[in-house]
Amino acid sequence: MLIHTRTAKFLISNISEKKDLLLVQSDSKEEMERLFGSGETKIEQGHQWPFEVKICKQEFAHCLILLVKEIDYKEFGQLSDFV
């Protein structure tokens, strides 16, 4: 799954050996640390997604809730003409 925010892109994928864990990769160190904590973020230099964290699905769900709460729905005003 790919999530694209105003400040970062996130690639979320399964970790095959652990069914309850996800691998979250990003192009933004700041956003990774903000969402998952600086102690959890690993750096893989030279990759398209250089920052990564392994996280359980439940904790990732909480991070998604945080992202949804941060949406500024006023920005979607121009889309109301299409509904």
Side-chain angles (χ1 to χ4, degrees), residues 61-73:
H62 292 297
C63 292
L64 283 179
I65 291 168
L66 176 66
L67 286 173
V68 170
K69 286 182 175 181
E70 292 177 348
I71 294 173
D72 182 3
Y73 290 95

Side-chain angles (χ1 to χ4, degrees), residues 52-80:
E52 65 179 44
V53 64
K54 292 180 182 176
I55 188 170
C56 74
K57 290 180 180 179
Q58 183 63 44
E59 191 175 344
F60 179 69
H62 292 297
C63 292
L64 283 179
I65 291 168
L66 176 66
L67 286 173
V68 170
K69 286 182 175 181
E70 292 177 348
I71 294 173
D72 182 3
Y73 290 95
K74 291 180 258 177
E75 294 180 5
F76 294 100
Q78 72 263 9
L79 297 177
S80 62

Side-chain angles (χ1 to χ4, degrees), residues 24-72:
V24 180
Q25 297 171 290
S26 180
D27 61 347
S28 171
K29 180 181 179 182
E30 293 79 19
E31 285 298 295
M32 288 289 280
E33 290 178 347
R34 183 178 71 83
L35 289 171
F36 306 110
S38 60
E40 302 294 324
T41 303
K42 294 182 181 178
I43 301 171
E44 297 288 330
Q45 294 295 338
H47 290 87
Q48 179 182 0
W49 309 95
F51 308 101
E52 65 179 44
V53 64
K54 292 180 182 176
I55 188 170
C56 74
K57 290 180 180 179
Q58 183 63 44
E59 191 175 344
F60 179 69
H62 292 297
C63 292
L64 283 179
I65 291 168
L66 176 66
L67 286 173
V68 170
K69 286 182 175 181
E70 292 177 348
I71 294 173
D72 182 3

